[in-house]
Structure formats: C-alpha cells, structure tokens
Amino acid sequence: MENKAIKVENLTFRYPDAESDTLKNISFELDYGEVLGIIGPNGAGKTTLAMALKGLIPHTVDGEIQGKIIVDGKDVLKHDISEQVLNSGLVFQDPEGQLSQMSVEEEVAFGLGNIGVPRAEMVKRIEKALQTVGLAGFEKRSPLALSGGQQQRLAIASVMAMEPSIMMMDEPTTMLDPVGKNEVFKVLKSLKEKGMTGVIIEHEIERLTMYCDKILVLHEGESILFGTPKEIFSDLMLLKKFKLRGPQVTEVAYEVFNDKEQIPVVLDEAVQSFSKELKA
Amino acid sequence: MNSMYVQGNSFLHQLDPRTKILFVFSIILFVFLFYDPMFQFLVTVSLLPIVFLSGLTTPYLKTVKFMFLLVFLIITVHGLYNPMGDVTKVTWQLTENLSFKHDALIYGAVMSFRILSIGTATLLFVMSTHPSDLANALVKWKVPHAVAFMILSTFQLIPIIGREAKVIMEAQQARCLDVKANMIQRVKHLIPLFAPLFITSFMRVHQMSQVLECRGFSSTGPKTSLREMTIGFRDYAFLTAIALFALAAITLRAVVGGTLLPITDFVLMSALIGIWIVCSIYFFDFLWKSVRKKVV
Amino acid sequence: MKNKLSTLVVAMIPAGIALNWVANSIVEMLKLPLFLNNIGNVLNAIVLGPWWGVATAVLTNLVIGLTTRWTIIPFALVGAVVALLGYWFFKKGFFKSIPKVIAAGAITGVIASALGSAVAVYVFGGFAGAGVDILTAGLVAMGNSIAVSNLIANFPGTFLDKILTFWVVFSILRIFPVRFLPNAKKIQEGLGMNKGKKKDDKAA
Ligand SMILES: Nc1ncnc2c1ncn2[C@@H]1O[C@H](COP(=O)(O)OP(=O)(O)OP(=O)(O)O)[C@@H](O)[C@H]1O
Ligand SMILES: [Mg+2]
C-alpha cells in the first residue's frame, strides 16, 4: 500500500448545539507532492475541514466527530496537536491575528523555539524562510509595520520554518488588497515548484488552477466533486448547479468547443487551444 | 506599543537582564536599609553617571518629570503638615502657623529620594533592556514560558485593539454617539462601544489560541530562543561590585544604625529647596514649550 | 499555577490587559471621569477563573509600569482584589440583575478605594503620581490628615468607576455570542440567563 499524505474517510462533524452536521461524510486522499485546492461557497465548511485536518477539531474545538483522518501517517484524532506540528502547519485567513512577536525574525523564531530547535539551526531556518517569502532584510521590523501581504507572507514563513510535511492555508489571500494577493500567490507558486505538499482554501479559482493538482468542491458540508482541475472545471454545468463558477477561460471555452477534452482551465492552455482551433 | 527601551550599545545595554534586575533590587535594599536623607540622596546621585554613560540622558530627563511632581508634593506637604515626631522642632518658619518641621521634613526627604533612586534604577533597567530580553531572562529564571509570552504579546496587542477601538468609535460617532452629550448619555454609549470591541477581541483570542497550538506552544520538552543570553565577565564584575556595596551597607547598618550622620537643618533645607528648584525648572520648561507652541 | 496552561488562557490574558488599557483611553476620549482600567481583570476573573483575573491585574500593572510609569506597579494589589471580588460576586449570584450588579460594584468600590489609599499612603506617603495628588495636597492644607485626604480625593472616582466597570462587564456578557465564551453555560447561569431556552447563535 502506498503512503498517502492525507487520507480522510467518512469524516462527519457537528458543532455543539448545531442543528445539522457541518461536515458530511467526507472522504478523499492526497499524495505527497500534490496540492489540494478546496473551494465552495461561504459557510460550506471549508474552514471547518481545514481545522479538522490540522487537528484543531477536535482538540481545541468541541463537537461530535466521526470518521478517520490520517495526515502524514498520523491519526489526527488520536494524537494531541502538539505532537502534530511537524506533520502539518496551518496558515490562517487573518494575517495580523497570527502574529504575536515584536520583530519579524522573532516571529519566525517563535514556533521554532517552542519545539526546541537549537539556536544555530534556528538562524539558518529563519534566513531561508524569509528568503523564500521575499522578506529578507525585514528581520528587525515590527510585524505591525508590515503591509497585509507582507504579514501574510511572514505567517507563511513562520509555518514553513517549522518544516511541516504538509502546509495548509485557509484563504490566505482573502483579506488582502490586490497587491498583497499577488505577493502571496507568487510565494505559493514558488512553493509548489519546490514540491510542497499542501492544502489551500481559495476563492480565486483562476489562481487555484495554476498550482493545484486536485480540487475538492464543498457544498453545505458535502464533498460534491473531487478530482483534477480539468475534471472538475470541465463539468461547468454541475458547478453552476451549486452556484459556483469555473475559471473565466473555461467559461469562455465552454461556449466555443464541443470536445470536452479540449477545454482549458488555465490561461496558457487556453491560448494553445484557441490557436489550435483557429488554425483548424 | 513600545516599551521605554532605547536602543544602544553601552555597558549597561550589554549587561544580562538578570544582572540588571538584581541591580534594581539591590538599590531598593539600599534605600530601605537607612533612614537618612543624605544617604538616599547619594544613592540617587551616584546613579546619574550611569544614566549619562548609557546615553539615556534625554529620555531619562523626559520620563523622570512626573516623579518630580510626586516628590515635590511629598516633601512639601509632609514637611508642612505631617504631625509626626517632635512638632516643636521647626526647621523653617514660613508664617505664624505654617512651618516646615524637622522630623516631618526628614520623612519627606527620605521618601523623596527613595522614590527618585528606585525610579532611576528602574528606568535604567527598562530603558536599556529590550522586552524580549526581559521575557527571556524571566524564562531563564523558571518563570513559565507562557507568562513571558503574555507580557510580550501584550505589547503587540495594545496597538491592534486600540486601533479597533478607534474604528468602532468613528463608526458609532457617525451613527449616534455624541462626545459632547451629557454625562448619562455618554455613559450609556459605553455599551455600544465596548460590545463590538470585546467581541472582536474574543474572536482574536480564539484565533490566537489556535495559532499557538499550531506553532507548538503546548509542546512539552525544552524551549529555545533566538536571543542569546550569557552571563559574561561584565556581569560578574558588576555583580561583584553590587555585592561589595551591599555587604558594606549591611555592615554599616549593623554598626552605625539607620542614620549615618546627624541630620542638620541645612541638609533638610537643601533637599527641600533642591527639589523645588528642579521642579520649577521642569515647570518653566513646560510653560516655555506651551507658549512657543501657541505662538508658532 | 498549573504547569500546562491552556492556550486559550495564554491568549486571553494579554487581551484582558489590552482591554484594560484601551478602555481607559476610551473613557478619557469621552471625557468621562472614570478609568475602567480593571475591566479586563473582572472579565477574565469571571470567564477564566479568579486567579487568571489576578494574573491579568498583576501583568497589567507590570506592563504599564514598564511602558509609562513604574509608580503604578504597587497598585496591582487593588486590581487583583477587584478581580477577586468580581469573581466572588459573580459566584454569589450578584450578576443576575442590574441593582445587584450596582450593589456589588459599590461594595467593591469602597474596598478598592480604601485599599488604594492604603497602598498610596504606605508606599508613596499618600500620593500616587497622578493628577488627583493635587487635590489630596489641597485637602491636607485644609487640615485633614494625609490618609483621609487621599481617601476623600480618590473615593468618588474609584467608587463610581467600579460600579460602572461591573455594569459594563455585566451588560456585555449578557449579549455575548455563546460561541466565543469558554464554559458559556456556567457563565450564562451566573448571569441568570437561559433557564431552559436555548439561544440561537447561528446568525452571528
Ligand atoms: N464554532 C462554531 N460553532 C458553531 N457553528 C460554527 C462554528 N464555526 C462555524 N460554524 C458554522 O459552520 C458552518 C461552516 O463554517 P465554515 O467557517 O467552516 O465555512 P467556510 O466554508 O470556511 O466559510 P467562509 O467562506 O465564510 O470562510 C457555518 O454554517 C458556520 O456558521
Ligand atoms: Mg472560512
């Protein structure tokens, strides 16, 4: 049996006093080196799912949970979160709310110090992480003096420096302005190129398709679609049924092409398809 | 928010925070060992060169201001009205029934210089120690790592919550809140102001607790820190000096008692007038600045 | 102190300190003769437990001592007692109606005021390094003793302040979304809410 990065089986979860389940019978798998994108309308349960994958549910949030979650070989429900810091890391939606230290370097060092990384190693990891997110040279600044995009990149660096096997991010760009969004997307793309295994919740479908290998569509707590971006977005009719849209290029191409195989989900592909079509 | 830390590279800045904490405590010990204004005064004055050598003169003079108001009130009010000791021993008769009494002035002067020396030592510590180093020192002294975190993160949180408060106030002002309404009205407005503030703060707290879990805060096992802290030669030298002083002071106290030299009226008058002079300098400085502000 | 603090407590105490600070600057901006600088202590004492309220009080004065004026540090004692009293009154069911809350605040105000004066007299010879010191000095000049003058000068402010502190905490906890309150059931019981009826917080 091959090793999976994430394996979720029949996951069901209900908040205390809630009338219905917030996550309903979710199952999926993710390989190492793959990035999973999770999409779905507001209130679909995306954040709840991310918290369950990270183990915040059930270890810090009450509720009834059923099913099985294995992340990086560890049974999330059985191990305390403090035993899972090396398996997965989570970046939250609100950039500022994740920061607590007085300078950029101390912010990155904070998590490392908590798990007892020796100082020499710490210094190396801080440098590398800040380099990766493009914040080299900001070491001594106060995190409060950074822009939203910079703060979110700092949060990413702080998680990354702990070197978890799997990076998870809950809408890391939603609260940012366009410039900040671009900055963070660049970082995400470069992480993908470096072979990161990750889970990313995102509203911007265009961007998501550029670095995701798999996509999971959540709707009212149910996993309604799971597959490669191509598989998912080719089925625009189904997406529409759930009030979601596909990438713009796909939507346009859908009107033009009959052959489903040909339908592009990212811009590069679209350019190719269209030029092929024009030549024909 | 900033602590009063002033960046620098002086001898004092390079001392380990733990050494400096011991220093503050030994000053507190010194000033409580004796009941002698001359001695308290000498302790205060002997701290001033350290202030200067640490490059903290300007910020020190700025922050020590409010202490002088305190000290001014203490020595003046106590000297005039405190009925302690022998009320007939008068140092300075102002009017028929207003006079500075000897024993009360001693109390006022001792109190004043105690406050000034403890205040100066504390300021020296705070101004030369980065809060992160303080937190680190506490951890080294086996204060729970969580307490150190609480202190440090407060520095970050105060400006964030303060800004939120401002946003909420502006929003409420746009609606109904009137800063100039009568008092009962303004008190009633406290709830619509505080409710959203408390709720967003609680949301923040929840998220922060989750962030802490994700950053391995509850990991058992040893913690490490980016900030290096070693007690070096400097610290040992400094601590030895403090220890010697302490030893001398304690011996002196045992042999001579709480008062070292007879306290003359001249000493007391100098203390009183000295404090008045410094206060009036601050006062005139303040006046001058406010006048200039109005003119410019 | 427990060895392993829950991270919620660890995150909540700085928030309590910040609320003390921010509440204080809000009433200043509204030009109200109040401080509300114990509000986080009382809140944390009720929500987290009495000793966490005390910790909030002590750390508040420590942080203010480190950032603005060190003379506030000894007055941590007052903040701590207010936190403990807040918890005690909550436990005894005083947070169930406005008159009771006001009574609890009044008693706390009297105790806090006496304690504050005791600290001021004992540590700083009757002054505190604050604006009311001038009033204290004036009262002494009028022939009162220093302790009495300090008490008279500080009493009205402190008394009113504790009543309003309790009232604000009470009013806010009543409308608080249950989701964000740790051990919400106990707190709502203490507030005399939710006998049988379940609050729907879905909308929040
Ligand atoms: N702590 C909680 N207690 C009770 N119900 C909750 C809690 N947190 C979330 N919910 C509910 O669970 C459902 C899913 O919420 P969740 O935050 O997971 O959605 P989401 O997909 O992340 O939405 P968004 O796009 O707005 O971030 C919502 O109906 C929400 O109201
Ligand atoms: Mg969400």
Side-chain angles (χ1 to χ4, degrees):
Chain A
M1 197 188 88
E2 79 185 293
N3 237 346
K4 295 282 180 190
I6 297 179
K7 200 168 165 179
V8 175
E9 274 173 27
N10 307 104
L11 172 64
T12 299
F13 176 76
R14 180 189 290 234
Y15 282 107
D17 299 334
E19 277 117 43
S20 62
D21 293 337
T22 301
L23 298 177
K24 295 171 191 147
N25 204 21
I26 294 176
S27 303
F28 67 90
E29 285 181 353
L30 191 73
D31 281 316
Y32 284 104
E34 284 186 331
V35 173
L36 169 70
I38 300 178
I39 58 173
N42 287 346
K46 305 182 294 295
T47 299
T48 309
L49 178 57
M51 297 214 296
L53 292 176
K54 176 59 224 171
L56 290 167
I57 289 173
H59 297 296
T60 66
V61 177
D62 289 335
E64 281 168 58
I65 192 161
Q66 284 152 26
K68 203 167 181 185
I69 311 171
I70 311 282
V71 171
D72 195 30
K74 260 204 186 130
D75 189 331
V76 172
L77 302 186
K78 293 206 177 109
H79 290 83
D80 195 66
I81 319 189
S82 60
E83 298 167 39
Q84 297 178 33
V85 279
L86 297 181
N87 304 107
S88 61
L90 177 61
V91 174
F92 293 75
Q93 185 171 347
D94 171 21
E96 195 177 68
Q98 302 170 66
L99 307 173
S100 60
Q101 302 295 301
M102 298 188 81
S103 70
V104 166
E105 59 177 0
E106 283 171 299
E107 188 61 51
V108 183
F110 175 61
L112 301 177
N114 287 334
I115 55 172
V117 174
R119 210 186 94 87
E121 165 81 8
M122 211 183 244
V123 172
K124 268 188 236 152
R125 288 208 204 171
I126 294 171
E127 195 191 316
K128 193 174 138 205
L130 290 181
Q131 200 88 51
T132 311
V133 301
L135 284 178
F138 287 70
E139 287 81 0
K140 305 284 177 210
R141 291 253 199 120
S142 159
L144 294 187
L146 301 179
S147 71
Q150 290 169 330
Q151 285 178 335
Q152 193 61 287
R153 285 185 284 148
L154 174 57
I156 294 173
S158 307
V159 174
M160 208 168 62
M162 297 176 79
E163 301 184 347
S165 310
I166 297 159
M167 291 279 282
M168 303 182 190
M169 305 191 197
D170 182 6
E171 302 194 36
T173 66
T174 301
M175 290 177 68
L176 304 178
D177 59 13
V179 178
K181 279 190 168 81
N182 276 336
E183 291 170 1
V184 171
F185 276 122
K186 263 213 218 112
V187 171
L188 292 183
K189 252 181 96 182
S190 81
L191 287 178
K192 168 66 186 157
E193 278 155 20
K194 286 184 182 147
M196 158 181 83
T197 310
V199 175
I200 296 171
I201 298 172
E202 188 51 71
H203 272 306
E204 293 204 21
I205 291 167
E206 274 78 14
R207 310 261 198 170
L208 203 57
T209 49
M210 282 169 32
Y211 50 71
C212 282
D213 304 290
K214 294 277 169 57
I215 295 218
L216 176 77
V217 184
L218 271 188
H219 185 77
E220 289 177 359
E222 272 175 276
S223 148
I224 50 168
L225 284 171
F226 177 72
T228 62
K230 204 156 189 133
E231 287 164 2
I232 303 274
F233 295 123
S234 313
D235 207 347
L236 279 184
M237 295 319 280
L238 189 61
L239 280 181
K240 286 226 167 68
K241 205 179 114 196
F242 293 107
K243 301 209 171 56
L244 285 167
R245 60 171 192 86
Q248 264 165 12
V249 282
T250 316
E251 302 240 337
V252 174
Y254 206 78
E255 310 289 315
V256 179
F257 304 116
N258 305 320
D259 178 10
K260 276 209 175 173
E261 277 300 294
Q262 234 183 332
I263 290 178
V265 290
V266 296
L267 198 59
D268 289 353
E269 268 185 310
V271 174
Q272 279 175 19
S273 299
F274 277 107
S275 39
K276 228 192 281 168
E277 182 72 15
L278 286 177
K279 271 184 208 141
Chain B
M1 190 180 55
N2 292 320
S3 76
M4 288 192 265
Y5 174 68
V6 180
Q7 237 172 1
N9 227 342
S10 70
F11 178 79
L12 196 68
H13 281 86
Q14 289 175 19
L15 286 177
D16 189 282
R18 286 167 288 177
T19 310
K20 286 184 267 189
I21 294 176
L22 288 176
F23 162 71
V24 174
F25 281 123
S26 59
I27 295 291
I28 295 176
L29 172 79
F30 289 160
V31 295
F32 276 99
L33 268 181
F34 299 97
Y35 190 74
D36 183 337
M38 276 291 271
F39 177 80
Q40 323 280 4
F41 175 70
L42 282 179
V43 174
T44 310
V45 169
S46 65
L47 292 174
L48 297 180
I50 310 185
V51 174
F52 179 73
L53 290 176
S54 311
L56 298 172
T57 316
T58 322
Y60 171 79
L61 288 178
K62 250 188 217 154
T63 31
V64 88
K65 225 185 310 191
F66 90 92
M67 275 199 307
F68 266 97
L69 173 68
L70 182 59
V71 159
F72 167 80
L73 286 171
I74 288 175
I75 196 167
T76 313
V77 172
H78 279 273
L80 287 173
Y81 299 105
N82 194 329
M84 69 190 290
D86 183 359
V87 217
T88 54
K89 246 167 95 185
V90 170
T91 299
W92 183 12
Q93 188 79 39
L94 286 177
T95 64
E96 204 175 319
N97 41 20
L98 206 57
S99 60
F100 283 98
K101 277 82 145 191
H102 183 83
D103 288 353
L105 264 186
I106 296 182
Y107 172 83
V110 167
M111 265 320 234
S112 300
F113 289 121
R114 263 184 198 161
I115 289 173
L116 285 177
S117 40
I118 296 176
T120 305
T122 313
L123 283 179
L124 276 174
F125 167 67
V126 174
M127 288 179 165
S128 68
T129 309
H130 191 277
S132 300
D133 287 325
L134 167 64
N136 230 340
L138 293 178
V139 171
K140 288 256 158 94
W141 267 340
K142 303 280 184 278
V143 171
H145 162 73
V147 174
F149 172 83
M150 290 175 201
I151 297 177
L152 278 188
S153 65
T154 303
F155 284 103
Q156 295 300 90
L157 204 54
I158 288 177
I160 294 179
I161 295 190
R163 199 186 50 213
E164 244 152 40
K166 221 167 140 196
V167 172
I168 293 169
M169 274 192 66
E170 271 157 20
Q172 303 288 37
Q173 257 166 25
R175 269 182 239 152
C176 58
L177 181 120
D178 181 4
V179 193
K180 291 189 197 74
N182 71 43
M183 203 141 96
I184 304 285
Q185 286 298 320
R186 276 178 289 158
V187 167
K188 278 193 181 149
H189 283 316
L190 286 177
I191 300 299
L193 275 181
F194 280 122
L197 188 64
F198 276 48
I199 291 169
T200 53
S201 303
F202 267 66
M203 288 163 72
R204 233 170 235 296
V205 165
H206 269 261
Q207 178 168 343
M208 184 44 79
S209 85
Q210 298 186 336
V211 169
L212 287 175
E213 293 292 354
C214 293
R215 300 273 161 89
F217 193 79
S218 14
S219 289
T220 46
K223 315 278 179 196
T224 50
S225 165
L226 178 64
R227 284 181 178 257
E228 234 173 349
M229 268 204 326
T230 41
I231 295 215
F233 171 72
R234 272 196 205 85
D235 296 280
Y236 287 119
F238 197 75
L239 286 172
T240 314
I242 292 176
L244 286 178
F245 271 115
L247 205 66
I250 291 169
T251 321
L252 210 60
R253 164 77 220 225
V255 177
V256 187
T259 316
L260 296 173
L261 293 170
I263 302 160
T264 61
D265 280 347
F266 174 73
V267 169
L268 292 176
M269 287 300 290
S270 319
L272 181 66
I273 307 286
I275 288 175
W276 282 5
I277 291 177
V278 178
C279 273
S280 43
I281 294 175
Y282 271 125
F283 182 68
F284 282 116
D285 180 60
F286 170 76
L287 271 190
W288 168 240
K289 278 196 184 125
S290 18
V291 167
R292 216 173 39 177
K293 216 186 253 163
K294 282 232 173 84
V295 173
V296 177
Chain C
M1 211 174 270
K2 274 190 276 174
N3 316 343
K4 204 180 153 191
L5 311 184
S6 108
T7 46
L8 191 74
V9 171
V10 171
M12 183 84 187
I13 286 180
I17 303 174
L19 286 175
N20 282 338
W21 178 294
V22 172
N24 190 245
S25 41
I26 287 183
V27 288
E28 230 162 68
M29 267 189 276
L30 288 178
K31 301 204 177 58
L32 285 169
L34 299 171
F35 320 111
L36 295 190
N37 55 355
N38 289 142
I39 210 160
N41 306 351
V42 176
L43 186 75
N44 279 1
I46 291 175
V47 172
L48 300 176
W51 299 109
W52 299 128
V54 170
T56 311
V58 171
L59 289 175
T60 299
N61 286 39
L62 199 66
V63 167
I64 298 178
L66 290 180
T67 48
T68 19
R69 48 173 71 177
W70 65 275
T71 47
I72 197 152
I73 293 174
F75 292 94
L77 185 65
V78 182
V81 168
V82 171
L84 287 177
L85 285 171
Y87 176 76
W88 190 80
F89 281 119
F90 177 77
K91 259 294 209 249
K92 291 285 167 214
F94 274 80
F95 276 68
K96 287 190 171 148
S97 68
I98 289 187
K100 279 186 181 170
V101 166
I102 291 177
I107 297 169
T108 307
V110 172
I111 296 173
S113 172
L115 203 60
S117 293
V119 172
V121 169
Y122 193 75
V123 184
F124 298 117
F127 299 96
V132 280
D133 283 353
I134 312 274
L135 188 56
T136 309
L139 285 163
V140 174
M142 278 160 60
N144 301 291
S145 82
I146 290 181
V148 169
S149 307
N150 180 288
L151 197 61
I152 298 176
N154 286 291
F155 182 80
T158 310
F159 181 74
L160 212 69
D161 182 62
K162 301 313 164 215
I163 293 178
L164 279 161
T165 300
F166 277 28
W167 174 68
V168 170
V169 171
F170 163 80
S171 313
I172 289 180
L173 279 179
R174 280 184 75 97
I175 55 173
F176 222 81
V178 185
R179 188 191 290 184
F180 299 117
L181 277 181
N183 53 42
K185 289 221 171 73
K186 253 205 212 141
I187 290 170
Q188 294 200 324
E189 242 167 64
L191 293 171
M193 299 164 67
N194 88 330
K195 286 276 153 62
K197 79 172 174 201
K198 224 184 225 175
K199 262 195 97 181
D200 190 1
D201 71 313
K202 272 243 141 150

